[in-house]
Amino acid sequence: MTVETYSQKAKQLSQKIEQTIAFRTGSQVQSLKVDILGEIVVLSGRTDSFYHKQLATHAALSEIDQYALSNNIRVES
């Protein structure tokens, strides 16, 4: 029997979110980082359009149930 710790679950969730964002944005978010801080999922990185930032938001929201989301991805043109 295996017992998963909170940090293991958080790491798995953050990896899943990163994969989903990369897939849905066509890897258009550079230096993507997903942190889980308690009940909040925090996205960071940079992209060249608000469209890709919004796609990242929707991708992350599709993977989280009971977490709040903070999208700190910077748009740089």
Side-chain angles (χ1 to χ4, degrees):
M1 182 165 122
T2 346
V3 177
E4 281 189 295
T5 65
Y6 173 80
S7 63
Q8 289 171 324
K9 286 185 175 184
K11 184 175 181 178
Q12 289 174 347
L13 179 59
S14 66
Q15 289 174 342
K16 177 66 173 156
I17 293 168
E18 284 182 20
Q19 291 170 351
T20 302
I21 290 172
F23 177 74
R24 295 222 187 142
T25 65
S27 298
Q28 292 298 308
V29 178
Q30 292 79 41
S31 303
L32 175 62
K33 186 175 177 191
V34 178
D35 292 308
I36 299 179
L37 309 172
E39 299 288 320
I40 303 171
V41 174
V42 181
L43 308 179
S44 58
R46 63 185 190 286
T47 189
D48 61 359
S49 75
F50 284 101
Y51 175 69
H52 290 118
K53 180 175 180 170
Q54 184 150 0
L55 283 177
T57 296
H58 288 280
L61 288 172
S62 74
E63 297 296 337
I64 59 177
D65 292 337
Q66 300 176 8
Y67 290 87
L69 178 67
S70 176
N71 186 342
N72 296 335
I73 295 173
R74 293 187 328 261
V75 177
E76 301 174 347
S77 49

